Amino acid sequence: IKIIRDFNQTLKATKTKIALLLDSAGCHVPIKSMSFSNIELIFLPVNTTAVLQPLDAGVIRSVKARYRKLLVQVKYILL
């Protein structure tokens, strides 16, 4: 929870607002009762993993592709 509070302070300093999507994991229960000025907590419905998991694969693939592209650019600059 301290990490989220610190992150909220950083967001407040930069005047940035975000939405944080959380699943129904048991460890998220204490966070559910908290509110933050620059973070909106959005809890996903229970048992949606099977529906959302195929979407995760596309997001992960996209992030990996962008990361690899940036990594190649940095290596090229350093050479």
Side-chain angles (χ1 to χ4, degrees), residues 7-51:
F7 186 49
N8 187 56
Q9 291 301 320
T10 303
L11 293 172
K12 192 183 288 188
T14 60
K15 298 179 182 175
T16 305
K17 292 190 175 197
I18 66 164
L20 182 61
L21 297 174
L22 299 164
D23 60 7
S24 59
C27 60
H28 295 151
V29 174
I31 297 171
K32 197 176 242 184
S33 62
M34 301 184 77
S35 64
F36 302 97
S37 60
N38 290 53
I39 301 174
E40 181 179 351
L41 301 176
I42 300 173
F43 287 88
L44 297 173
V46 180
N47 298 327
T48 56
T49 302
V51 176

